[in-house]
Amino acid sequence: MKVCRTIEEVRGLSRGARSEGRRIGFVPTMGALHEGHLSLVRAAKAECEFVIVSIFVNPTQFGPNEDLERYPRPFERDREMLEREEADALFAPDVEEIYPPGALTFVSVEELSGKLDGKSRPGHFRGVATVVAKLFHIVEPDAAFFGQKDAAQVAVLRRMVRDLALPVEMCVCPIVREADGLAMSSRNAYLSLQERKAALVLSRSLAKVRAEFEAGQRSAARLREAGERVVAGEPGARLDYFAIVDPDSLDFVDEVARPTLVAVAAYVGTTRLIDNVVLG
Ligand code: PAJ
């Protein structure tokens, strides 16, 4: 696996592989890799002949009081994991390579970026859209692989790809969970043993909503109440949002009549966790 630090290097590799007729798959990450990330790499390997993974802790998607400084960066471990998965290239640029001093250009997906996590984290999706657009231009992939874990991110990026006519196929992969149901996340590393237990309330609340739905409940208000009640029962968690929305527009729905996204975000201690399920 080739490790690239510069735009020129990774673009050269990508163009070289394309000129040999290979399909380029791309998996953007912020590192601190876990099985969720690796599932994307495996999906990319299954569909593409040349797989590029990026590790870049993107400063523009962190708010001023968020965890940019303490975000885990176990680079050597990540590199070994990707080597084992037989990724073809790892792109791990410095901040200055992606954001040259004086960079003034951003990509903003209006409205959608202010919903769900974008409402709780102002500016977050502007940072995500900007870096992903930029990475797409650098890597020039045929297909890019994202996790359903970040459902609002998927909605924002799908819209960006459509609106800007970017020639990239968006592939979205299922949420990978720990054996007890906790959605895998690099941020789970922040949790103490006690918090780790409290964090299970997210997947539990979604399971409750799914059970109510399967028992015939279709009212979004009722389903949301059921989910919120589960979160309220866990003193170790503080709800940020519990939302039942259209997966593309992220608008609230009244009834679950078509595929509908049920998304939850909660603070466990100081760690903000998210999870979701699609009903219908
Ligand atoms: P990061 O949080 O590192 O996640 C990278 C990719 O892995 C995302 O597409 C995310 O949805 C996916 N992922 C994370 N946990 C997952 C899980 N448990 N199951 C399945 N997929 C999972 O998302 C980002 O980085 C950044 O915003 C990025 C897109 C790289 C832009 O900076």
Side-chain angles (χ1 to χ4, degrees):
M1 181 179 72
K2 190 97 174 70
V3 178
C4 307
R5 296 287 181 181
T6 68
I7 292 171
E8 200 179 293
E9 276 176 285
V10 73
R11 193 175 267 158
L13 278 184
S14 168
R15 289 187 176 175
R18 159 133 340 93
S19 73
E20 293 167 359
R22 298 209 243 175
R23 183 171 156 83
I24 316 291
F26 178 45
V27 182
T29 83
M30 299 202 300
L33 302 179
H34 50 67
E35 281 295 318
H37 297 113
L38 299 186
S39 75
L40 304 181
V41 177
R42 288 170 200 148
K45 290 279 294 178
E47 280 193 32
C48 302
E49 291 86 43
F50 195 83
V51 172
I52 303 176
V53 180
S54 66
I55 294 181
F56 180 64
V57 183
N58 172 36
T60 63
Q61 71 186 74
F62 288 78
N65 298 315
E66 292 184 0
D67 54 342
L68 174 62
E69 299 307 325
R70 72 163 180 153
Y71 199 86
R73 291 165 171 86
F75 182 77
E76 215 22 62
R77 182 176 162 278
D78 287 349
R79 196 188 56 72
E80 283 166 17
M81 287 168 88
L82 293 173
E83 196 94 62
R84 270 199 298 278
E85 297 299 325
E86 301 183 348
D88 296 285
L90 165 57
F91 179 45
D94 286 341
V95 172
E96 298 72 38
E97 185 72 5
I98 298 298
Y99 297 108
L104 292 173
T105 307
F106 291 85
V107 176
S108 168
V109 180
E110 307 281 309
E111 288 178 37
L112 264 188
S113 289
K115 292 175 180 170
L116 299 190
D117 308 285
K119 189 166 179 193
S120 318
R121 306 180 65 189
H124 171 65
F125 285 130
R126 180 184 189 247
V128 170
T130 300
V131 82
V132 172
K134 182 139 191 181
L135 289 167
F136 281 2
H137 282 295
I138 293 167
V139 171
E140 299 179 341
D142 296 290
F145 295 78
F146 294 90
Q148 173 64 21
K149 157 90 189 324
D150 298 272
Q153 170 168 281
V154 165
V156 167
L157 294 176
R158 274 193 198 283
R159 190 65 68 97
M160 174 186 82
V161 164
R162 193 200 72 169
D163 291 354
L164 298 179
L166 301 180
V168 180
E169 184 193 332
M170 293 287 286
C171 302
V172 179
C173 302
I175 301 177
V176 177
R177 299 177 179 282
E178 303 285 358
D180 60 6
L182 181 68
M184 290 195 184
S185 164
S186 304
R187 290 192 167 97
N188 291 349
Y190 298 148
L191 301 173
S192 69
L193 219 61
Q194 205 183 348
E195 289 171 341
R196 174 69 184 67
K197 281 190 192 131
L200 284 175
V201 79
L202 280 86
S203 54
R204 216 164 53 233
S205 70
L206 296 170
K208 173 69 177 167
V209 170
R210 181 191 278 290
E212 298 275 316
F213 173 77
E214 281 168 1
Q217 183 58 265
R218 293 294 179 269
S219 155
R222 287 288 137 68
L223 291 168
R224 185 162 58 87
E225 277 162 25
E228 286 182 347
R229 217 170 309 122
V230 174
V231 180
E234 172 52 72
R238 182 166 55 83
L239 187 67
D240 178 7
Y241 66 71
F242 200 100
I244 303 189
V245 300
D246 178 272
D248 299 317
S249 69
L250 304 182
D251 285 332
F252 293 106
V253 300
D254 293 327
E255 260 195 289
V256 181
R258 56 183 58 82
T260 299
L261 174 67
V262 182
V264 59
Y267 289 91
V268 176
T270 56
T271 305
R272 187 174 178 282
L273 299 175
I274 60 174
D275 198 351
N276 69 82
V277 67
V278 176
L279 299 180

